[in-house]
Amino acid sequence: MEIEKKDIRSLTKAQLRDFFVANGDKAFRGNQVYEWLWSKASHSFEDMTNVSKETRLMLENNFVINHIKVDTMQRSEDGTVKNAVRLHDGLIVESVLIPTDTRTTACVSSQVGCSLDCNFCATARLKRMRNLEPGEIYDQVVAIDRESRLYYNRPLSNIVFMGMGEPLMNYNNVMKAIDMITSEEGLGMSPKRITVSTSGVSKMIKKMADDEVKFKLAVSLHSAIEETRNHIMPFTKNFQLPELKDALQYWYQKTKSKVTYEYVVWKGINDDKASIDALVKFCKYVPCKVNLIEYNPIDDGEFQQASDEAIDNYIKALSKYDIVAKVRRSRGKDIDAACGQLANKS
């Protein structure tokens, strides 16, 4: 029976160096291979041209590189690019390139499917199959960086973890991926250009604060009224608003980093005065800003985009208390690429 080979990217640089020493080679060979795997984002041992054929064959016999492959790519009329990404085991996730005049943002996935049950989200209708490995998250960023350079003649500027999955339910792998994305031995991106979006897993928000992360935090809030929030995202019964408030205050106390609230306004669900007042009150707990998001409907059901008047009412109320609020228009509508509502339709 053939032994399943280990993904070489699961090894640290020290472990790679030890592997070469144990196999009668020099430790620096591990440094060379590590550079190929991360800085050069190589998907094949054959690419490693400063390593002998014998060494490449030894690597081939012992390891695999479980890289992603962009299966299909769609370009929207507004310039948004959606990648359907095939993983080594045949499963599919999605990532999106979102361009503006001044930046290109990668929206990446952290799980195949999702652990949660948000009623408005297409991904939540897919069963969570597994967590993504650090290399699979890293590869999505590399692919979008290449597309940004190809189509927009500039490198990727920002990353948001708002694709498939709840990043804080895949905490260790997401943190390892971010470590490599920000490392000079990886992509060398500033952590300040990375935002991790959570649906409000309070315990893990506190852990991030304790781990002294340098990236930004966004919370998919959608309502500051417990009953409404639980209806929109039933799993939040386990992460109620007082607990979330406590976690966010802890986050700010530790990091001094503002929180961004992602907030979709739906017709007949959270477009009333009580919902607006509750959000204003919640925003006073920690320094924050609010992204009011235009909804990209997934069917003709309960969740439908609210009126412009309702959005304006939110902006007026938040502005009155000097809370920064912006309206985020849905991108890539013609290719179904609304970040945070991703699901493979193929």
Side-chain angles (χ1 to χ4, degrees):
M1 190 177 89
E2 190 178 344
I3 298 170
E4 189 176 347
K5 295 176 191 172
K6 191 171 190 175
D7 185 350
I8 193 168
R9 289 191 296 185
S10 66
L11 272 60
T12 63
K13 186 197 273 191
Q15 288 170 327
L16 261 179
R17 288 168 61 88
D18 290 346
F19 169 80
F20 279 105
V21 170
N23 283 273
D25 208 330
K26 299 282 193 297
F28 80 87
R29 196 75 66 210
N31 301 0
Q32 290 178 312
V33 171
Y34 195 80
E35 183 182 8
W36 278 107
L37 293 172
W38 296 106
S39 179
K40 297 178 180 176
S42 175
H43 287 175
S44 168
F45 296 118
E46 280 303 305
D47 294 342
M48 301 178 183
T49 48
N50 61 347
V51 175
S52 71
K53 280 189 176 179
E54 292 76 16
T55 301
R56 281 179 263 161
L57 185 62
M58 179 178 71
L59 290 171
E60 196 85 52
N61 289 336
N62 285 276
F63 301 107
V64 290
I65 306 172
N66 285 333
H67 60 83
I68 68 161
K69 179 187 172 197
V70 176
D71 207 46
T72 57
M73 186 189 73
Q74 295 172 273
R75 290 188 72 190
S76 166
E77 291 171 3
D78 66 16
T80 302
V81 177
K82 181 174 83 165
N83 292 325
V85 172
R86 187 172 296 278
L87 308 176
H88 70 96
D89 54 6
L91 296 172
I92 299 275
V93 294
E94 291 181 354
S95 56
V96 180
L97 182 159
I98 306 162
T100 67
D101 291 340
T102 56
R103 63 173 62 177
T104 49
T105 299
C107 175
V108 298
S109 295
S110 55
Q111 295 179 310
V112 185
C114 189
S115 314
L116 308 180
D117 53 5
C118 304
N119 283 323
F120 63 90
C121 182
T123 303
R125 299 182 178 190
L126 306 175
K127 188 176 86 172
R128 188 188 76 81
M129 306 291 287
R130 68 173 175 86
N131 289 331
L132 292 187
E133 295 296 326
E136 295 171 324
I137 296 168
Y138 186 90
D139 283 351
Q140 293 175 70
V141 175
V142 170
I144 291 178
D145 179 54
R146 286 173 180 163
E147 289 166 354
S148 178
R149 291 169 192 271
L150 177 64
Y151 297 125
Y152 296 101
N153 205 29
R154 60 178 186 250
L156 181 66
S157 60
N158 296 78
I159 303 169
V160 293
F161 281 77
M162 294 182 187
M164 288 176 154
E166 164 55 66
L168 301 194
M169 297 285 197
N170 185 18
Y171 187 85
N172 290 339
N173 288 350
V174 166
M175 295 304 126
K176 283 178 190 169
I178 291 173
D179 282 347
M180 287 313 303
I181 289 164
T182 56
S183 167
E184 287 305 318
E185 296 182 310
L187 300 180
M189 285 189 72
S190 167
K192 291 181 170 38
R193 294 182 173 273
I194 299 173
T195 300
V196 171
S197 177
T198 175
S199 298
V201 187
S202 312
K203 180 174 73 173
M204 302 313 289
I205 291 172
K206 287 184 172 181
K207 178 162 173 51
M208 283 197 299
D210 285 337
D211 288 345
E212 299 181 349
V213 301
K214 303 299 183 198
F215 51 75
K216 296 176 182 173
L217 172 66
V219 176
S220 295
L221 188 62
H222 309 313
S223 180
I225 297 172
E226 197 74 76
E227 188 181 354
T228 307
R229 182 168 172 258
N230 292 166
H231 171 66
I232 295 166
M233 303 183 289
F235 77 92
T236 59
K237 290 168 188 168
N238 301 317
F239 308 107
Q240 297 210 343
L241 287 168
E243 188 185 333
L244 178 60
K245 169 193 164 187
D246 180 55
L248 294 173
Q249 288 176 328
Y250 186 81
W251 162 270
Y252 187 75
Q253 174 198 333
K254 283 269 195 174
T255 67
K256 296 294 180 279
S257 175
K258 276 187 179 182
V259 177
T260 298
Y261 295 122
E262 306 287 345
Y263 197 101
V264 182
V265 187
W266 290 283
K267 185 178 178 180
I269 292 175
N270 61 351
D271 59 350
D272 57 327
K273 186 176 184 304
S275 293
I276 294 172
D277 292 345
L279 177 61
V280 169
K281 183 182 177 185
F282 198 84
C283 284
K284 292 176 182 176
Y285 296 141
V286 294
C288 65
K289 63 179 183 178
V290 178
N291 284 339
L292 296 163
I293 302 168
E294 182 183 47
Y295 185 58
N296 193 36
I298 56 176
D299 55 30
D300 296 325
E302 176 187 8
F303 290 89
Q304 296 300 319
Q305 173 67 22
S307 67
D308 289 342
E309 183 187 1
I311 303 284
D312 288 342
N313 289 339
Y314 266 99
I315 290 172
K316 284 175 194 166
L318 291 162
S319 300
K320 185 178 172 185
Y321 292 94
D322 295 322
I323 300 160
V324 175
K326 293 182 179 176
V327 179
R328 298 283 189 216
R329 301 294 175 194
S330 184
R331 302 292 301 267
K333 290 182 184 179
D334 54 317
I335 57 169
D336 191 29
C339 211
Q341 300 167 43
L342 299 176
N344 177 45
K345 296 288 195 293
S346 57

